[in-house]
Amino acid sequence: MASKKTTQKIEDEEIVIDAQEEEAGIEDLPGVGPATAEKLREAGFEELMTIAVMSPKELGDQAELGEAVASKIIAGAKKMANVGGFVSGVSLLERRSEVQKLTSGAAALDELLGGGFETQAIVEVFGEFGSGKTQIGHQLAVNTILPIAQGGFDGEVFYIDTEDTFRPERIAQMAEGAGLNPDAVLDRIHVARAYNSAHQMLLVDEIKRMSKSIDVKMVIVDSLTSHFRAEYVGRGMLAPRQQKLNKHLKELKQLSDVNNALVLVTNQVMSNPGAMWGDPTKAIGGHIVGHASTFRLYLRKSKGGRRIARLIDSPNLPEGEAVFTVTAEGIRE
Ligand code: GTP
Ligand code: MG
C-alpha cells in the first residue's frame, strides 16, 4: 500500500506524508522502549491509529501503564498518525475510496443501501422479534466469505452472540444456498457467546487482538443491547448504561475503521403502546445507538412472510424501503 501511495504525485503533500506514516510503528513513539512496546502489543495495540483515539485512562488500564505514560504515548501517536487535526478533502476521499460494499443477497436491499452494506461503518438493524435481524446477521456472515467479484469481502467474521441464537446449521444451509462449502465457511466465522455486558465489551478487545493475524472484515453483535437492558434496570441506571453503550460502540467503530470492516449490530424495539400516531415502536438505547450508527435499518414483518426494511437517518442516501424474504437458502429478493 505504501509503495502505491509514494508513486502518486509528489506535489501532493498529504499523500506523501501518509506513505511515511505507514512505515512508523509503536517503537517509534517517544518514551516507548522495548518493554513498553511489548506491553502495548500484548494488549492489542500495534497500530498508531488505535492508540491515538484512546483516552489515557483506557490505555493505561488496558496496557497496564501509568496514566501519565499513557498520555504521553497517545500524544505521540496522535502526531504521528495525524489524527489530531484537519485533513484535506483529498485524503478523506482517498479513505472513502477504500470502502467496500457487501451484498445481502437481495438486490432491492443492496440498492436501498447504495450498493450494499459498507465497511468503515456501523449498521444498526432494529425491529421486533421475528423481524429477521438474526437472519440478516447470519446471511451477511456467509456473504463476507464470498469472493469480492461476487459481492463478498473474502474475509473473516467475528460473531458476538448474546442471546444464544447463532446456529451453525443455518450458516451451513445459507452457505450451500450461496454455492459455498459449508465447512469452509464455518471455519472463517469465529463465534463467542457473551454472558453479560462486561464480557461482551471484553470480546471486542479480543477481536482487536486477533485482528493482528486475521483479516477481520465483519463484526456482528446480536444483540447489541439485550444484556445492557437486562442489567441496567431502573431510573438511576440509565446514564451509566448509556455511557457503557457509548464506549462499546466507540470501540466497535474503531474496529471498523482500523480494519476497513463492517460492523453490524442488532437492536430490539421497546413497544410503546401509548403512541397514537406513527410507528408505535422505538429502538432501545435511543440517541446513543442511533447517533453512533452510520446506517439504521428498521425491519418489520409484512404479508406472506415478506419483510420490509426501511433506511433511517443515512448521511448520504435518501430514506426508502426495500422488500425481501427469508427462504431456506437465505435472504432473497
Ligand atoms: P428476535 O431476535 O427474537 O428479536 O428476532 P429476529 O429479528 O432476530 O428474528 P429472526 O432473524 O430470528 O427471524 C426469525 C424468522 O426468520 C422466522 O420467523 C422465520 O420466518 C425466518 N426463518 C428463520 N430460520 C429460517 C429457516 O431456516 N428457513 C426459513 N425459510 N425461514 C427461516
Ligand atoms: Mg434475533
Side-chain angles (χ1 to χ4, degrees), residues 3 21 23 35 72 85 104 155 167 169 181 209 233 261 269 303 317:
S3 61
E21 275 160 23
E23 312 286 313
K72 199 172 156 198
S104 64
R167 292 290 174 274
E169 314 83 277
N181 177 297
R209 256 188 295 280
V233 184
V269 289
K303 286 185 210 106
L317 294 169

Side-chain angles (χ1 to χ4, degrees), residues 135 138-139 142 167-175 326-331:
Q135 292 302 307
H138 279 60
Q139 185 69 64
V142 169
R167 292 290 174 274
E169 314 83 277
R170 186 64 177 133
I171 294 288
Q173 221 179 359
M174 288 176 163
V326 184
T327 72
E329 290 79 37
I331 305 286

Side-chain angles (χ1 to χ4, degrees), residues 127-136 163 165 170 173 222 268 299 307 326-328:
E128 63 170 335
F129 68 93
S131 57
K133 303 180 294 289
T134 297
Q135 292 302 307
I136 288 194
E163 299 181 314
T165 51
R170 186 64 177 133
Q173 221 179 359
D222 183 19
Q268 289 108 332
L299 301 188
R307 302 283 188 281
V326 184
T327 72

Side-chain angles (χ1 to χ4, degrees), residues 252-307:
L252 286 166
K253 185 65 177 50
Q254 207 176 304
L255 266 185
S256 81
D257 285 339
V258 172
N259 297 288
N260 192 24
L262 160 65
V263 172
L264 185 88
V265 303
T266 70
N267 196 359
Q268 289 108 332
V269 289
M270 308 182 270
S271 70
N272 179 6
M276 302 233 306
W277 293 282
D279 202 316
T281 51
K282 258 188 183 164
I284 310 280
H287 291 311
I288 295 283
V289 183
H291 191 73
S293 313
T294 322
F295 298 97
R296 312 187 70 202
L297 276 180
Y298 173 56
L299 301 188
R300 62 185 198 275
K301 293 184 245 183
S302 172
K303 286 185 210 106
R306 280 192 288 263
R307 302 283 188 281

Side-chain angles (χ1 to χ4, degrees), residues 21 24-32 40 47-54 56 59 68-84:
E21 275 160 23
I26 51 176
E27 275 88 358
D28 307 307
L29 287 165
V32 172
L40 287 168
E47 277 163 39
L48 296 175
M49 184 63 149
T50 318
I51 295 170
V53 295
M54 299 291 289
L59 184 65
V69 176
S71 170
K72 199 172 156 198
I73 292 174
I74 290 166
K78 274 188 177 144
K79 257 187 219 143
M80 285 162 63
N82 192 27
V83 292

